Amino acid sequence: MRPSRAKALKSGLYVLILAVIVYIVVYMSTPYMINQPGTAEEIKPMVSIPSGDPEEKGTFMLTTVSVSYANVWMLATARFNKHAEIVKKEPDRNDEEYETQQRYYMNSSQSNAIMAAYNKAGVKYGIVPEYVFIIGLSKDSPPKGDFHSGDIIRAVKGQPVKRFEDLGALLQDNQPGDVVDVRLERGGKSVDQQVELVEIKAADGVRKAGLGVSVGELRKIQAADQAKEVKFADTRIGGPSAGLMFTLEIYNQLTPGDLSKGYRVAGTGTIAEDGTVGAIGGVQFKIVASDREKAEIFFVPEANYKVAKAKAEEIGSKMKLVPVKTLDDALDYLASLEPKAP
C-alpha cells in the first residue's frame, strides 16, 4: 500500500472515530433529564389590565426550574454541579406530551390566579369554556385514530366540543368498536377522520367507549367589566407553580397602591381559586435563581419551607423566606412591611 493512501485511510479513520465520539457525547439521547436553577423573572411585563393601577416601585417575580434533556456530556458535567439534579425521564410520556402538559398547567395556573385575584378584589366574572385539546395518548387503551399531543378536538359526530362534558355526553351511547367522525385542529388546519372507539376505564372503574386520549380544557376567565380583563403575554414558560405570584401581580394592578412596597419579591406555589397555596417541586432550584436576581423576599408554600430554608442557608442567601398557606398570608405579610426607603 502506498504511504499516501495509508495516510489518507488513517486520517479518514480518525475523522470517523471523532464523529462517532461527538455523536455519542452530544447528540445521542439518554433516559435522563437534568434539573437546575432557572430564572426569576419580573411578572409585570407579562400581565396587562386596561384599567390596572401601574404603580409598582418594587417587583414581583415568578421563578422557574431549568429542565434539560440530558446528553452524555451534560450527565458527566452535572455530577460536578452542586445545584444540578439528574432524574430519569418518565417512560410513558414523550417530549411532545411533556411540553403540552406543561403549557396546560400554565394555562390552568393563570386561570386560577385570575379567579383568586378577582375573588379577593370583588370583581365579578364568568368562566367561558373555549376548547378541549389532547394532552397525551393512553398507554392502557391506545387510540386507533391519528392523534397528536396538542390537537384541538373541534367536533365529534358532527357536534361541537368545547368542554369535557361535551365529549363524554357525545360518546355515552357508543360502544367500543363503533366508528365516529372526529374533527381536529392541528397547527391551524382542520383534520377530519373516522375513528374507531376503544374501551377505556373511567375514574369510577366503569368501562366505556372513548378515543383513548387524555384531554385538557382551556377556559377563559371573563370579567363582567371589560376594563378589568386580564391578559397574559406569551411567556413560553410551563408548569403550575407561578400561580401565587401571578395572583399577587394581578391583585396589585386591580387595587390602588403598591403591594410590593419597593421590594424585590420572588416566590412560588400553585394557587386555587379560593386562594389556597399548594406545594411545588424543585423549590431548591428556585431559591438559587431568586438569590442570583437579588430577591429580598421569597414566598414559599409551607410544605416546601424546610427544603427552601436548607438551600438558602447552604448558599448564604439573605432573602427573607416567608412560608404561606393562602393568598391572605402573603398579602398580610406585604401589608405589614414598611415601604422601602428609596
Side-chain angles (χ1 to χ4, degrees):
M1 182 180 294
R2 295 178 181 177
S4 59
R5 186 179 178 188
K7 187 176 180 179
L9 287 173
K10 192 174 183 180
S11 298
L13 183 60
Y14 284 153
V15 171
L16 179 61
I17 292 173
L18 180 61
V20 171
I21 292 174
V22 169
Y23 171 76
I24 292 174
V25 172
V26 179
Y27 295 104
M28 189 174 74
S29 63
T30 71
Y32 297 97
M33 302 172 74
I34 297 175
N35 297 331
Q36 53 190 322
T39 59
E41 302 185 27
E42 185 178 349
I43 299 176
K44 188 175 181 181
M46 305 177 189
V47 178
S48 62
I49 301 173
S51 65
D53 180 357
E55 184 180 359
E56 189 171 292
K57 294 179 181 179
T59 182
F60 291 109
M61 296 182 284
L62 63 78
T63 53
T64 69
V65 177
S66 172
V67 180
S68 305
Y69 298 107
N71 57 31
V72 174
W73 173 255
M74 293 168 67
L75 284 177
T77 56
R79 297 182 187 279
F80 300 97
N81 183 349
K82 64 180 180 180
H83 299 315
E85 174 188 47
I86 300 171
V87 296
K88 291 204 72 171
K89 292 180 183 177
E90 294 183 25
D92 293 337
R93 183 178 61 183
N94 61 36
D95 297 352
E96 184 181 53
E97 290 175 349
Y98 174 78
E99 290 169 4
T100 300
Q101 186 179 65
Q102 292 303 302
R103 290 197 301 272
Y104 172 55
Y105 286 156
M106 174 56 80
N107 287 333
S108 297
S109 173
Q110 291 173 343
S111 294
N112 286 347
I114 295 171
M115 289 188 286
Y118 280 172
N119 288 335
K120 187 65 182 175
V123 176
K124 295 182 179 180
Y125 65 91
I127 301 174
V128 182
E130 295 202 302
Y131 58 79
V132 172
F133 65 99
I134 294 171
I135 297 176
L137 312 184
S138 172
K139 304 301 184 295
D140 296 326
S141 304
K144 296 189 177 180
D146 175 27
F147 297 121
H148 293 258
S149 183
D151 285 351
I152 297 173
I153 303 175
R154 288 299 186 191
V156 171
K157 298 166 65 174
Q159 300 299 311
V161 175
K162 289 190 175 181
R163 303 176 301 170
F164 289 124
E165 294 82 1
D166 294 339
L167 190 58
L170 287 169
L171 298 178
Q172 66 180 353
D173 295 328
N174 286 97
Q175 300 297 321
D178 290 351
V179 176
V180 299
D181 293 324
V182 176
R183 169 165 288 181
L184 306 173
E185 182 180 319
R186 181 182 301 157
K189 297 181 179 179
S190 291
V191 178
D192 292 299
Q193 56 182 300
Q194 290 190 313
V195 177
E196 181 181 340
L197 300 178
V198 298
E199 184 180 81
I200 61 172
K201 185 177 181 180
D204 57 6
V206 176
R207 294 193 172 275
K208 55 185 181 180
L211 299 176
V213 298
S214 60
V215 298
E217 179 183 292
L218 187 69
R219 302 179 300 170
K220 181 179 181 180
I221 311 304
Q222 196 166 50
D225 180 354
Q226 290 188 350
K228 290 182 170 60
E229 199 79 43
V230 179
K231 293 186 179 180
F232 284 93
D234 184 6
T235 63
R236 299 192 178 278
I237 296 172
S241 64
L244 170 62
M245 300 311 294
F246 277 140
T247 307
L248 289 175
E249 176 61 41
I250 295 167
Y251 186 72
N252 191 35
Q253 292 190 32
L254 288 172
T255 55
D258 178 16
L259 283 180
S260 76
K261 303 284 187 70
Y263 294 90
R264 293 180 63 78
V265 184
T268 189
T270 64
I271 195 77
E273 60 185 273
D274 66 356
T276 301
V277 176
I280 53 87
V283 71
Q284 66 272 32
F285 307 116
K286 298 180 178 187
I287 290 292
V288 175
S290 300
D291 186 70
R292 288 173 178 172
E293 291 299 321
K294 297 180 173 51
E296 298 164 286
I297 298 165
F298 189 95
F299 288 122
V300 57
E302 190 172 72
N304 296 121
Y305 179 71
K306 185 176 179 180
V307 173
K309 184 173 182 290
K311 192 64 176 182
E313 290 176 349
E314 176 192 320
I315 64 176
S317 176
K318 295 180 180 180
M319 284 189 302
K320 171 65 176 178
L321 266 60
V322 181
V324 295
K325 286 184 176 180
T326 66
L327 171 62
D328 282 343
D329 291 340
L331 292 175
D332 289 345
Y333 179 82
L334 291 171
S336 72
L337 292 174
E338 289 294 329
K340 186 178 178 181

